[in-house]
Amino acid sequence: MIRIKDLDFEVSIRHNEIEDSISNIAERMNQDYEDKCPLLLAILNGSFIFAADLVRHLTFEHEIQFAKFSSYQGTESTGNVKELIGLNVDITDRDVIIVEDIIDTGKTMSTLLANLKDRGARSIEIATLLMKPEKLTVDLDVKYCAIEIPNDFIVGYGLDYDGLGRQYPDIYTVISHKED
Ligand code: IMP
Ligand code: MG
């Protein structure tokens, strides 16, 4: 068990299970991209460990770029607008693979897809380490999902609680919430 700030977590997915699941999606990607040279677009911060482990299973040529969402406080009518920063590569006619840590409601991924759509990519696919299918509120075609999980909050293997806990090799699920 680990404690981060006010929350207790217990191990829910061991590192070797994570490794096996990543190697499974990598095998499928190796078939699908055999003669291509896609651009992997890894979304910071959460995907840095997943991306590092994933690429070491890939047998096709590829490039990798890391980009990040920056949230701006918009006007009352537009709400919170997210903009992709750090993608300084021309993706015209490229096969793009978005590499994400987790898809929860799917809103982040939808925003990203909308952002990339107008940039002329040949294809865009999604590779995510984790997905909470029951929480999905948008229509998303996720081609490569390593592990599907229930609705609980998790940390470890790149994922954080309030900026902490990304370093753990295993994934932990929250077990209690102390109200103050
Ligand atoms: P979505 O837009 O609801 O799909 O949220 C996706 C983002 O929320 C992820 O990129 C994570 O940063 C964060 N997130 C969602 N669920 C969890 C979780 O269980 N633990 C840590 N971060 C999470
Ligand atoms: Mg993320």
Side-chain angles (χ1 to χ4, degrees), residues 60 67 93 107 116 125 146 157 168:
F60 54 89
D93 293 330
K107 284 177 186 162
L116 291 180
E125 298 293 351
Y157 199 80
Y168 297 107

mmCIF file of all heavy atoms in Angstrom, residues 60 67 93 107 116 125 146 157 168:
data_model
loop_
_atom_site.group_PDB
_atom_site.id
_atom_site.type_symbol
_atom_site.label_atom_id
_atom_site.label_comp_id
_atom_site.label_asym_id
_atom_site.label_seq_id
_atom_site.Cartn_x
_atom_site.Cartn_y
_atom_site.Cartn_z
ATOM 1 N N PHE A 60 9.151 -1.297 -36.671
ATOM 2 C CA PHE A 60 9.089 -0.452 -37.867
ATOM 3 C C PHE A 60 9.765 0.888 -37.592
ATOM 4 O O PHE A 60 9.855 1.322 -36.440
ATOM 5 C CB PHE A 60 7.627 -0.251 -38.315
ATOM 6 C CG PHE A 60 6.719 0.272 -37.224
ATOM 7 C CD1 PHE A 60 6.561 1.641 -37.007
ATOM 8 C CD2 PHE A 60 6.014 -0.614 -36.411
ATOM 9 C CE1 PHE A 60 5.721 2.117 -36.009
ATOM 10 C CE2 PHE A 60 5.174 -0.144 -35.398
ATOM 11 C CZ PHE A 60 5.029 1.214 -35.200
ATOM 12 N N ALA A 67 4.333 16.267 -27.111
ATOM 13 C CA ALA A 67 3.599 17.525 -27.101
ATOM 14 C C ALA A 67 2.731 17.573 -25.854
ATOM 15 O O ALA A 67 2.562 16.578 -25.158
ATOM 16 C CB ALA A 67 2.754 17.667 -28.355
ATOM 17 N N ASP A 93 0.347 14.469 -44.794
ATOM 18 C CA ASP A 93 0.570 13.147 -45.408
ATOM 19 C C ASP A 93 1.299 12.149 -44.508
ATOM 20 O O ASP A 93 1.811 11.139 -44.992
ATOM 21 C CB ASP A 93 1.335 13.275 -46.742
ATOM 22 C CG ASP A 93 0.492 13.967 -47.798
ATOM 23 O OD1 ASP A 93 -0.743 13.833 -47.734
ATOM 24 O OD2 ASP A 93 1.069 14.654 -48.664
ATOM 25 N N LYS A 107 -12.638 13.297 -23.476
ATOM 26 C CA LYS A 107 -12.699 14.695 -23.940
ATOM 27 C C LYS A 107 -11.336 15.224 -24.374
ATOM 28 O O LYS A 107 -11.231 15.956 -25.352
ATOM 29 C CB LYS A 107 -13.288 15.583 -22.827
ATOM 30 C CG LYS A 107 -14.792 15.412 -22.711
ATOM 31 C CD LYS A 107 -15.369 16.235 -21.578
ATOM 32 C CE LYS A 107 -16.860 15.914 -21.418
ATOM 33 N NZ LYS A 107 -17.373 16.332 -20.109
ATOM 34 N N LEU A 116 -5.761 18.047 -34.578
ATOM 35 C CA LEU A 116 -4.879 17.442 -35.578
ATOM 36 C C LEU A 116 -5.544 17.264 -36.947
ATOM 37 O O LEU A 116 -4.877 17.178 -37.969
ATOM 38 C CB LEU A 116 -4.396 16.069 -35.098
ATOM 39 C CG LEU A 116 -3.441 16.052 -33.913
ATOM 40 C CD1 LEU A 116 -3.067 14.617 -33.572
ATOM 41 C CD2 LEU A 116 -2.184 16.869 -34.197
ATOM 42 N N GLU A 125 -4.247 7.374 -35.648
ATOM 43 C CA GLU A 125 -4.752 6.308 -34.784
ATOM 44 C C GLU A 125 -4.356 6.623 -33.344
ATOM 45 O O GLU A 125 -3.457 7.432 -33.097
ATOM 46 C CB GLU A 125 -4.182 4.938 -35.193
ATOM 47 C CG GLU A 125 -4.559 4.473 -36.600
ATOM 48 C CD GLU A 125 -6.055 4.177 -36.770
ATOM 49 O OE1 GLU A 125 -6.805 4.170 -35.762
ATOM 50 O OE2 GLU A 125 -6.472 3.964 -37.922
ATOM 51 N N ALA A 146 -4.003 -0.904 -24.469
ATOM 52 C CA ALA A 146 -3.288 -1.995 -23.791
ATOM 53 C C ALA A 146 -4.143 -2.628 -22.698
ATOM 54 O O ALA A 146 -4.269 -3.838 -22.617
ATOM 55 C CB ALA A 146 -1.961 -1.490 -23.236
ATOM 56 N N TYR A 157 3.198 4.315 -12.969
ATOM 57 C CA TYR A 157 3.569 4.076 -14.359
ATOM 58 C C TYR A 157 3.265 5.316 -15.223
ATOM 59 O O TYR A 157 2.703 5.229 -16.301
ATOM 60 C CB TYR A 157 2.866 2.822 -14.899
ATOM 61 C CG TYR A 157 3.538 2.266 -16.126
ATOM 62 C CD1 TYR A 157 4.677 1.470 -16.029
ATOM 63 C CD2 TYR A 157 3.056 2.578 -17.399
ATOM 64 C CE1 TYR A 157 5.313 0.999 -17.161
ATOM 65 C CE2 TYR A 157 3.689 2.115 -18.541
ATOM 66 C CZ TYR A 157 4.804 1.327 -18.404
ATOM 67 O OH TYR A 157 5.435 0.871 -19.532
ATOM 68 N N TYR A 168 6.129 5.025 -9.937
ATOM 69 C CA TYR A 168 5.952 3.618 -9.540
ATOM 70 C C TYR A 168 5.878 2.693 -10.756
ATOM 71 O O TYR A 168 5.147 2.963 -11.700
ATOM 72 C CB TYR A 168 4.686 3.451 -8.684
ATOM 73 C CG TYR A 168 4.753 4.194 -7.389
ATOM 74 C CD1 TYR A 168 4.003 5.355 -7.194
ATOM 75 C CD2 TYR A 168 5.578 3.763 -6.357
ATOM 76 C CE1 TYR A 168 4.071 6.070 -6.006
ATOM 77 C CE2 TYR A 168 5.658 4.470 -5.168
ATOM 78 C CZ TYR A 168 4.899 5.622 -5.001
ATOM 79 O OH TYR A 168 4.975 6.320 -3.823
#
